[in-house]
């Protein structure tokens, strides 16, 4: 079983390292012994995508040609590239066919791409909180995030590693924008309301509302561990993904190659990749008479719902995994 | 198995592509696969039923059949089934039309409101409650009850051709005065 990660995660899918018991994997609620994706039944592979800052070669890695970090010279990579690297990893591990490839959001794009790049090597694809291509609105959000990074004076055209600085301000803003799109309006209202951080309105530009404090905290945290060049590249990978692009925009024609059985899951409160986008994928699969089930879960979490523990969502995945023959 | 399902399984040809609207836990689709090698999809809105379908290894699509069958291309199924769901559908005409857009054939079953026990209960001043109509008026999901005659009138008006009809009571076919003596009706229809 191959688990593909989304924007800011890594190969660390579940569990924790011995010396960091509080640092749980990003899908720990789903993956593990006795969990819906039961590691006592499945051998689970989590790989870190090319261009990342968590292990695989990325912009911060050393370019052997000049002994310096790649920085801006690191190429823009695509979802197809990631699937290619994962296939080579599978070769290396001696895995001919995956029982399933699963992912949410950008991870779901990889799961979908797997069924197109290697139709014979994936039996089931679990495509969660997905879109077959980004909408102009999605691209617009990504562009604002990229502009925030690239206009940070510490960005230095992407060659900031040897200058001893990090475009922290840009990364913070990029993350804050991203975070707004991951949560539903409803989830934000429930979590923060209009609660004030201080006793009364300050009539200045310090933090008034809890939601501001939350966004700043998320932005600050992110800017300490994530690489700006990586962020630029993954948002481009998202923007570029469009399997129907080579087929005059006809997704049904694009998915004709797929052989896998599909489970497509969307969340009603997700406005970044709303259910209508998942239904486009389902419709294209139906046009090709593929085996597919589709769930539209009424969970409040927004796009991030795919990472959260909703009983219906997890029950459905658990049931689906149980039907996969080994 | 419910008597109408038995008839439906018999009417579905071997290997037919089937769409079951309001498929519940997928039991019908499972028997269609086992007995007729008919592959299919279910449409269901209820969370628990959808999860049950997944567990039963039945293809299920969680969409609202009332808002149209936009996921499905024209004539992409041999049979589209609506079993004991018609009476709970709000946009009855639209759903029947959609069924015959995406399918070559529609199979519809519903509890017959014209059965004598329902008529008697109404005559005695009560809303009918029976094995075929098991809900009290204040808790029923049913919104559009009809009789055998009503359904056939609607088909005529919509240009739907009835190919076969089976009216049942307690699992047995009723041929004499079906609208009075039958509690369950099953129809096989096509575009005329």
């Amino acid at each position: 079983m191959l688990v593909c990660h989304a924007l800011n995660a890594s190969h660390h899918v579940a569990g924790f390292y011995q010396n960091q018991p509080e640092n749980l994997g990003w899908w720990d609620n789903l993956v593990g012994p006795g969990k819906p994706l039961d590691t006592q039944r499945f051998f689970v592979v989590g790989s870190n995508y090319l261009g990342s800052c968590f292990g695989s070669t990325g912009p911060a890695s050393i370019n052997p040609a000049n002994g310096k970090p790649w920085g801006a010279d690191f190429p823009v990579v695509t979802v197809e590239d990631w699937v290619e690297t994962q296939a080579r990893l599978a070769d290396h591990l001696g895995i001919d066919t995956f029982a399933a490839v699963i992912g949410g959001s950008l991870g779901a794009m990889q799961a979908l791409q797997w069924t197109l790049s290697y139709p014979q090597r994936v039996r089931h694809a679990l495509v969660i909180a997905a879109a077959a291509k980004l909408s102009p609105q999605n691209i617009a959000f990504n562009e604002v995030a990229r502009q925030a990074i690239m206009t940070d004076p510490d960005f230095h055209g992407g060659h900031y590693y040897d200058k001893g600085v990090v475009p922290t301000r840009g990364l913070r803003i990029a993350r804050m924008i991203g975070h707004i799109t991951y949560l539903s309006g409803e989830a934000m209202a429930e979590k923060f309301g209009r609660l004030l951080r201080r006793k009364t309105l300050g009539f200045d530009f310090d933090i008034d509302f809890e939601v501001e404090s939350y966004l700043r905290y998320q932005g600050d945290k992110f800017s300490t561990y994530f690489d700006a060049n990586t962020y630029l590249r993954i948002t481009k990978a998202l923007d570029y993904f469009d399997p129907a692009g080579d087929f005059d925009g006809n997704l049904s024609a694009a998915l004709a190659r797929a052989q896998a059985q599909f489970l497509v899951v969307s969340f009603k409160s997700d406005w970044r990749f709303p259910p209508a986008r998942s239904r486009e994928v389902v419709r294209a699969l139906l046009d090709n008479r593929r085996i597919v089930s589709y769930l539209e879960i009424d969970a409040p979490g927004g796009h991030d719902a795919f990472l959260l523990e909703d009983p219906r969502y997890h029950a459905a995945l658990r049931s689906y995994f149980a039907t996969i023959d080994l | 198995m419910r008597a109408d399902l038995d008839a439906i399984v018999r009417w579905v040809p071997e290997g037919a592509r089937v769409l079951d609207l309001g498929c519940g836990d997928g039991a019908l689709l499972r028997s269609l696969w086992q007995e007729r090698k008919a592959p299919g999809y279910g449409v269901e809105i209820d969370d628990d039923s959808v999860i049950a379908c997944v567990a039963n290894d039945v293809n299920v699509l969680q969409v609202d059949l009332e808002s149209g069958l936009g996921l499905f291309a024209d004539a992409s199924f041999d049979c589209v089934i609506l079993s004991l769901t018609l009476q709970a559908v709000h946009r009855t005409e639209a759903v029947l039309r959609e069924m015959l857009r995406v399918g070559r054939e529609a199979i519809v079953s519903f509890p017959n409101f014209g059965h004598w026990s329902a008529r008697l209960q109404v005559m005695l001043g009560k809303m009918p409650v029976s094995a075929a109509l098991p809900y009290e008026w204040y808790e029923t999901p049913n919104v559009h009850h009809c009789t055998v005659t009503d359904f056939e009138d609607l088909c005529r008006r919509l240009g739907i051709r009835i190919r076969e009809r089976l009216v049942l009571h307690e699992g047995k076919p009723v041929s004499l005065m079906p609208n009075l003596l039958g509690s369950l009706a099953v129809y096989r229809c096509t575009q005329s």
Side-chain angles (χ1 to χ4, degrees):
Chain A
M1 177 95 61
L2 176 66
V3 177
C4 302
H5 69 82
L7 207 108
N8 63 317
S10 72
H11 53 287
H12 181 189
V13 175
F16 55 85
Y17 296 101
Q18 204 167 17
N19 56 349
Q20 292 176 302
E22 69 293 335
N23 182 13
L24 285 177
W26 60 273
W27 225 350
D28 194 74
N29 60 25
L30 186 81
V31 182
K35 295 189 180 168
L37 206 181
D38 192 346
T39 46
Q40 286 164 338
R41 184 147 186 267
F42 292 102
F43 183 88
V44 176
V45 178
S47 89
N48 184 213
Y49 52 53
L50 187 66
S52 170
C53 48
F54 297 120
S56 294
T57 308
S61 309
I62 299 299
N63 178 353
N66 58 14
K68 288 183 178 167
W70 285 92
D73 300 331
F74 195 87
V76 169
V77 288
T78 63
V79 171
E80 290 92 319
D81 292 332
W82 292 337
V83 168
E84 195 54 42
T85 58
Q86 289 157 357
R88 293 194 196 175
L89 174 66
D91 293 341
H92 177 76
L93 295 172
I95 298 167
D96 178 50
T97 309
F98 282 109
V101 180
I102 173 172
S105 186
L106 181 56
M109 290 174 169
Q110 293 165 63
L112 182 59
Q113 184 59 42
W114 255 97
T115 68
L116 306 178
S117 295
Y118 294 98
Q120 306 299 332
R121 296 189 72 176
V122 44
R123 281 168 39 210
H124 294 263
L126 288 91
V127 176
I128 302 169
K133 63 169 185 268
L134 258 54
S135 69
Q137 188 190 42
N138 295 146
I139 296 172
F141 279 118
N142 282 346
E143 174 58 7
V144 177
R146 283 191 294 266
Q147 283 298 320
I149 290 170
M150 291 189 296
T151 55
D152 185 322
D154 287 336
F155 181 63
H156 296 290
H159 290 291
Y160 47 85
Y161 305 107
D162 34 11
K163 302 250 179 349
V165 291
V166 173
T168 314
R169 286 162 286 185
L171 264 174
R172 279 180 82 228
I173 295 168
R175 180 58 168 173
M176 287 163 88
I177 294 159
H179 222 92
I180 296 168
T181 68
Y182 306 148
L183 297 177
S184 64
E186 188 192 341
M188 257 194 185
E190 186 154 319
K191 199 163 178 171
F192 309 109
R194 286 177 55 91
L195 279 179
L196 291 181
R197 184 78 186 168
R198 39 191 182 181
K199 284 200 179 69
T200 54
L201 296 177
F203 291 92
D204 56 22
F205 300 99
D206 204 352
I207 293 173
D208 282 312
F209 295 96
E210 281 290 355
V211 66
E212 296 171 292
S213 162
Y214 173 80
L215 281 182
R216 289 193 194 188
Y217 170 77
Q218 290 293 337
D220 287 338
K221 193 171 78 170
F222 188 69
S223 68
T224 62
Y225 74 85
F226 209 83
D227 181 66
N229 279 319
T230 291
Y231 200 87
L232 294 180
R233 279 157 185 75
I234 45 178
T235 56
K236 271 289 170 192
L238 274 162
D239 292 359
Y240 286 176
F241 184 68
D242 180 13
D246 291 337
F247 296 84
D248 290 330
N250 184 339
L251 188 61
S252 302
L255 300 193
R257 277 171 292 163
Q259 298 295 319
Q261 301 185 26
F262 284 81
L263 179 67
V264 179
V265 181
S266 73
F267 299 93
K268 282 192 177 157
S269 59
D270 183 352
W271 60 279
R272 190 181 164 101
F273 293 166
R277 312 308 310 285
S278 286
R279 287 198 295 261
E280 290 166 10
V281 176
V282 173
R283 177 162 191 160
L285 291 168
L286 288 168
D287 284 344
N288 286 295
R289 304 190 165 190
R290 292 281 84 88
I291 293 178
V292 53
S293 281
Y294 170 61
L295 269 70
E296 204 168 290
I297 301 200
D298 193 7
H303 188 56
D304 266 353
F306 85 88
L307 295 167
L308 305 175
E309 208 174 327
D310 177 272
R312 292 155 296 183
Y313 170 44
H314 275 197
L317 290 190
R318 188 184 285 278
S319 300
Y320 191 84
F321 293 135
T323 65
I324 296 178
D325 295 324
L326 296 184
Chain B
M1 193 152 76
R2 252 168 38 207
D4 63 320
L5 299 187
D6 209 40
I8 293 169
V9 172
R10 275 188 285 116
W11 281 349
V12 170
E14 194 84 13
R17 282 176 51 80
V18 177
L19 181 66
D20 183 9
L21 304 178
C23 67
D25 66 2
L28 174 62
L29 284 162
R30 252 192 109 81
S31 20
L32 284 171
W33 176 245
Q34 281 158 0
E35 294 177 36
R36 284 280 180 266
K37 286 288 163 272
Y41 302 89
V43 168
E44 179 56 63
I45 194 78
D46 175 65
D47 286 326
D48 292 334
S49 300
V50 168
I51 294 167
C53 285
V54 171
N56 286 331
D57 209 0
V58 164
N59 302 323
V60 64
L61 305 161
Q62 191 171 27
V63 291
D64 184 3
L65 65 95
E66 299 270 4
S67 52
L69 303 177
L71 280 180
F72 309 103
D74 294 357
S76 48
F77 292 94
D78 298 309
C79 298
V80 182
I81 298 166
L82 189 70
S83 72
L84 293 192
T85 302
L86 182 75
Q87 74 282 359
V89 164
H90 287 255
R91 299 172 59 243
T92 312
E93 292 174 54
V95 168
L96 288 172
R97 273 200 210 94
E98 276 287 270
M99 287 175 75
L100 284 168
R101 175 185 68 80
V102 304
R104 222 166 30 78
E105 208 172 271
I107 298 178
V108 179
S109 71
F110 57 87
N112 176 29
F113 209 78
H115 185 254
W116 66 266
S117 75
R119 298 190 197 197
L120 183 65
Q121 289 182 67
V122 171
M123 218 163 69
L124 295 174
K126 302 268 291 173
M127 280 301 280
V129 177
S130 66
L133 304 166
Y135 300 101
E136 290 288 352
W137 65 273
Y138 49 84
E139 55 170 19
T140 179
N142 300 332
V143 290
H144 284 151
H145 280 302
C146 70
T147 68
V148 163
T149 310
D150 290 333
F151 182 74
E152 292 176 10
D153 284 348
L154 179 63
C155 287
R156 211 166 296 126
R157 205 164 64 69
L158 296 178
I160 292 171
R161 182 154 165 207
I162 294 167
R163 298 277 172 174
E164 228 169 320
R165 177 183 81 179
L166 181 66
V167 181
L168 300 157
H169 184 65
E170 289 176 348
K172 292 188 187 68
V174 177
S175 43
L176 184 74
M177 292 192 287
N179 197 28
L180 189 64
L181 300 178
S183 52
L184 185 62
V186 201
Y187 286 85
R188 195 163 69 80
C189 313
T190 61
Q191 211 70 263
S192 51

